[in-house]
Amino acid sequence: LADAARLLAGNADAPRPQASGALAGLADALNRLADQRQTLQTDMARLVAEAQDKVAQERDQLGALMAELRQSVVVCNLDGRILLYNDHARGLFHRALGGQPAGGAEAIGLGRSIHAMIDRALIEHARETVDRHIARGEAAVSAQFVTATPTGSLLHVVLAPVRAQGGAISGYVLLLDDITQDYAAQSLRDRRLTQLTEASRASLANMGAALDMLDYPDLDPAERDGFHAIVRDEVAAMGRRLAALTEDASQEILTRWPLQEMLGDDLLAAAAQHVLARTGRVAGVESADAGLWLRLDSFSLIQALGALAGQLAGPQGMPPLTLRLAPAATPGWAHLDLVWPLDPAGTRAAAPPEASDIAERHGGALWLERDRAAGLAFFRFLLPTAEAGPQAEALEPRPEYYDFDLFAASESSHSLDDQPLERLTYTVFDTETTGLNPAQGDEIIQVGALRILSGKILRGERFDQLVDPGREIPEASIPYHGIRPEMVQGQPRIGQVLPAFHAYAADTVLVGHNVAFDMRFLQMKEAATGLRFDQPVLDTLLLASIAQPHEPSHSLEAIAARLGVGIAQRHNALGDALVTAELFLRLLPLLRDRGIVTLGQARQAAAQSYYARLRY
């Protein structure tokens, strides 16, 4: 009766316990409990199915909404991992980075880091700005900045927080626009205005001289007509220049470099913190108006102040520094000064061109002054002020647009070895090669990979790239991989492909079948490419030998047959990677039954496998 009860505890469909005599009543009670549990399980399965249907409907609605948005949108958690993005964002990064990288992998993808596209320091600075707004109880909270891509495109980014019901920030939304053409149009207009100004000065000078001559009463008619012609010609030339400028301007969409409103005291606090991190010197702060608001690009301005402070170190070290803010005599402007004691021998400090460019971006200026009476020297920024900062309002409850658990608390403080296998992100990959001996000159001719996130294979975010090996493909190897020499002609070399694959696999656990072979080929390229694939690695061959130790074969075909996984394209890198990914997901429950639930446990168990002794 005890054995039958144990079997029933593990399997609700097991035969019901039978007993007679004094134990018949106990067997009947066990069977009633089993029936009740089976009823509860059936009800629970129904409720779970209904909940999944509801979530699927909400997901589809959200997907439709994201697809219809004309704005590029990316949603990230606090670690910068991408949780959601729309097709406009994918296209924007595709264009901004000059096209698709090797392997066909997109620039962004679920679970990947946005910091690969946008500098982490910019996002952290924007988040600090948002935190200050929230601390003051403001309702409309966001920050914006402009960043350049490696290809020279300019992206305007608005960062807004995602807040849970309790008010805690669980992630952020990025709204992106490519403003490259707008900024180029504005730069062109500014150059034309400068040219117009310089040309007009010459015309005005000519007209002034001609009018002065016309004041002479003894001019003969011919000379008088000549000076009148000069005035008419210069007026006509100025008119033509103005007409050309107006026509060009009417065809352009003009956008100034985006500036945001910021409280002056907040700017001083953030700048002092950056100067401390940059120089190790605490900078004092002085504000003549606690309610002064500025319009500025706070990130670039703070970076410029740090750079200016860094160049002031002399033989005696860094002088005492003060950040000073006060309204300028001209309405609508303010002075931001980086102040230090005047060196009696005379300071040789000079503002670098980059800092001057940042000042001009604000429509202002930057210069060096010396106040000998006060014994001070200072760099002075002329910056525009804002009429008033945003008004603080009571926070309204967040409407329930959807209920997805996208913003679970980050556990990045824990090591990956402590992480459950089901919660990690994986890059499952495979390579095809000219032969089996990387140390003797064999080369990679194809790399294929997919990613697994939250237990799902991301089939739409694949990496698939043929590689020109720079050597002949042996005829004997072609029947295995099907890659002929003409197929790799014109394809990128491995030095171009590996950086793209390295970025695709960043911050993930690598998975492969008999992966030591593939890793050996990657390691042979470390010196040439400067890249290291040093993340954790799991091998489905080793994991299968642990999960099913009594099976006679652990080849990819044998494991697939046992676990019910079909093989469509064997010895194709992407096809083998897909099979390996499906096998890996089906091995996880078998490993869990053996008490292997974390990455560390899987790696430790794999190291004990007989197959782990193989070397390449």
Side-chain angles (χ1 to χ4, degrees):
L1 183 62
D3 287 341
R6 292 190 189 97
L7 183 61
L8 187 63
N11 181 6
D13 296 324
R16 295 292 190 262
Q18 301 295 327
S20 59
L23 295 179
L26 180 58
D28 183 59
L30 287 173
N31 289 332
R32 286 200 303 271
L33 287 173
D35 291 340
Q36 291 176 3
R37 188 184 69 164
Q38 196 164 36
T39 300
L40 289 174
Q41 287 179 333
T42 301
D43 291 343
M44 184 62 68
R46 176 180 55 80
L47 292 173
V48 168
E50 291 174 356
Q52 288 176 335
D53 288 341
K54 181 180 178 181
V55 169
Q57 291 175 4
E58 292 178 340
R59 183 182 64 241
D60 292 342
Q61 291 170 356
L62 179 62
L65 174 63
M66 293 287 286
E68 291 300 321
L69 286 177
R70 311 317 298 171
Q71 181 86 33
S72 297
V73 181
V74 179
V75 184
C76 302
N77 66 10
L78 291 178
D79 293 330
R81 298 291 170 195
I82 297 174
L83 307 173
L84 191 67
Y85 66 95
N86 63 354
D87 193 58
H88 288 285
R90 182 193 63 79
L92 180 143
F93 281 113
H94 180 88
R95 295 187 300 272
L97 295 178
Q100 205 160 338
E106 296 292 345
I108 60 174
L110 295 179
R112 297 174 67 179
S113 176
I114 192 64
H115 301 141
M117 300 293 105
I118 301 176
D119 185 10
R120 181 189 297 269
L122 279 168
I123 291 181
E124 290 181 349
H125 175 76
R127 284 181 53 188
E128 291 171 359
T129 301
V130 165
D131 289 342
R132 286 192 292 269
H133 286 302
I134 292 175
R136 285 196 290 268
E138 297 165 8
V141 177
S142 65
Q144 60 179 316
F145 56 86
V146 173
T147 184
T149 70
T151 58
S153 297
L154 290 178
L155 300 183
H156 176 218
V157 184
V158 177
L159 181 147
V162 175
R163 285 186 274 193
Q165 295 290 355
I169 296 178
S170 55
Y172 49 88
V173 178
L174 301 178
L175 306 177
L176 306 108
D177 284 302
D178 188 340
I179 62 169
T180 307
Q181 293 183 349
D182 295 342
Y183 188 67
Q186 181 62 59
S187 299
L188 177 61
R189 179 183 172 89
D190 289 343
R191 287 196 299 271
R192 287 171 175 166
L193 285 172
T194 301
Q195 294 169 358
L196 175 65
T197 301
E198 296 302 321
S200 297
R201 286 176 179 171
S203 295
L204 290 171
N206 291 336
M207 287 190 291
L211 292 173
D212 288 341
M213 296 301 298
L214 289 172
D215 287 338
Y216 288 98
D218 55 349
L219 282 177
D220 60 53
E223 290 177 328
R224 188 174 297 277
D225 290 343
F227 287 122
H228 280 139
I230 290 174
V231 174
R232 285 193 298 271
D233 290 345
E234 293 295 350
V235 169
M238 291 180 67
R240 288 193 297 271
R241 287 193 289 268
L242 285 171
L245 183 64
T246 303
E247 180 180 358
D248 290 339
S250 66
Q251 300 174 2
E252 298 171 353
I253 301 175
L254 304 177
T255 303
R256 288 283 183 185
W257 191 282
L259 303 178
Q260 64 185 105
E261 296 180 356
M262 188 175 190
L263 185 63
D265 286 352
D266 287 348
L267 174 66
L268 291 176
Q273 184 177 3
H274 181 69
V275 169
L276 174 62
R278 180 74 180 260
T279 68
R281 170 73 69 172
V282 176
V285 294
E286 297 179 3
S287 177
D289 184 351
L292 182 63
W293 285 80
L294 305 171
R295 292 185 63 251
L296 44 79
D297 175 3
S298 57
F299 178 80
S300 61
L301 184 61
I302 290 171
Q303 296 294 314
L305 287 168
L308 291 171
Q311 75 174 24
L312 294 176
Q316 281 97 32
M318 183 67 62
L321 301 174
T322 302
L323 292 165
R324 186 172 62 189
L325 180 66
T330 303
W333 295 90
H335 290 155
L336 174 63
D337 300 335
L338 176 65
V339 187
W340 68 94
L342 183 62
D343 182 358
T347 180
R348 297 183 180 275
E354 295 81 4
S356 298
D357 290 343
I358 291 171
E360 292 176 3
R361 182 182 303 171
H362 292 77
L366 169 65
W367 63 89
L368 173 66
E369 279 198 22
R370 298 178 181 85
D371 186 347
R372 300 193 180 279
L376 299 174
F378 50 89
F379 286 114
R380 169 162 288 180
F381 283 90
L382 180 65
L383 303 172
T385 61
E387 291 296 328
Q391 299 298 315
E393 301 176 11
L395 294 176
E396 295 292 332
R398 180 179 63 83
E400 296 183 8
Y401 293 116
Y402 54 88
D403 194 21
F404 301 149
D405 187 20
L406 293 176
F407 304 103
S410 169
E411 295 186 9
S412 59
S413 58
H414 300 292
S415 66
L416 286 181
D417 275 349
D418 296 331
Q419 293 293 308
L421 290 168
E422 287 85 354
R423 297 188 60 182
L424 293 169
T425 303
Y426 301 92
T427 296
V428 187
F429 79 106
D430 185 65
T431 63
E432 298 298 334
T433 62
T434 59
L436 305 178
N437 298 301
Q440 297 178 18
D442 279 319
E443 295 285 348
I444 295 173
I445 54 176
Q446 187 184 23
V447 181
L450 299 106
R451 299 173 68 248
I452 295 176
L453 177 68
S454 300
K456 297 179 182 178
I457 301 173
L458 303 181
R459 298 172 187 265
E461 297 183 10
R462 59 184 60 188
F463 187 98
D464 186 16
Q465 181 63 56
L466 290 170
V467 182
D468 182 352
R471 55 156 291 175
E472 293 183 356
I473 299 178
E475 192 70 28
S477 70
I478 293 176
Y480 291 96
H481 49 63
I483 300 175
R484 306 194 64 82
E486 59 269 19
M487 296 170 63
V488 299
Q489 289 180 357
Q491 298 292 337
R493 300 293 295 271
I494 194 65
Q496 299 170 267
V497 174
L498 278 191
F501 178 62
H502 187 271
Y504 176 82
D507 302 319
T508 66
V509 177
L510 291 176
V511 177
H513 188 79
N514 197 14
V515 74
F517 174 81
D518 305 279
M519 292 302 298
R520 180 60 176 155
F521 275 88
L522 298 183
Q523 290 163 358
M524 293 289 291
K525 297 299 179 183
E526 287 183 356
T529 62
L531 299 172
R532 292 194 63 196
F533 291 85
D534 54 2
Q535 58 260 64
V537 180
L538 291 177
D539 191 332
T540 52
L541 185 152
L542 303 182
L543 297 178
S545 72
I546 298 162
Q548 300 174 314
H550 303 297
E551 295 292 340
S553 173
H554 297 292
S555 68
L556 194 68
E557 293 88 346
I559 302 171
R562 292 197 299 268
L563 299 182
V565 175
I567 298 179
Q569 288 183 297
R570 185 69 172 101
H571 293 297
N572 170 276
L574 184 61
D576 285 354
L578 177 58
V579 173
T580 303
E582 292 178 341
L583 292 182
F584 177 73
L585 291 178
R586 298 194 185 194
L587 284 170
L588 292 182
L590 302 180
L591 293 171
R592 185 168 59 247
D593 290 343
R594 293 182 172 272
I596 300 171
V597 295
T598 67
L599 176 62
Q601 291 170 341
R603 295 171 69 185
Q604 184 177 6
Q608 305 303 316
S609 169
Y610 162 78
Y611 296 95
R613 304 173 192 172
L614 299 179
R615 294 292 181 268
Y616 296 94

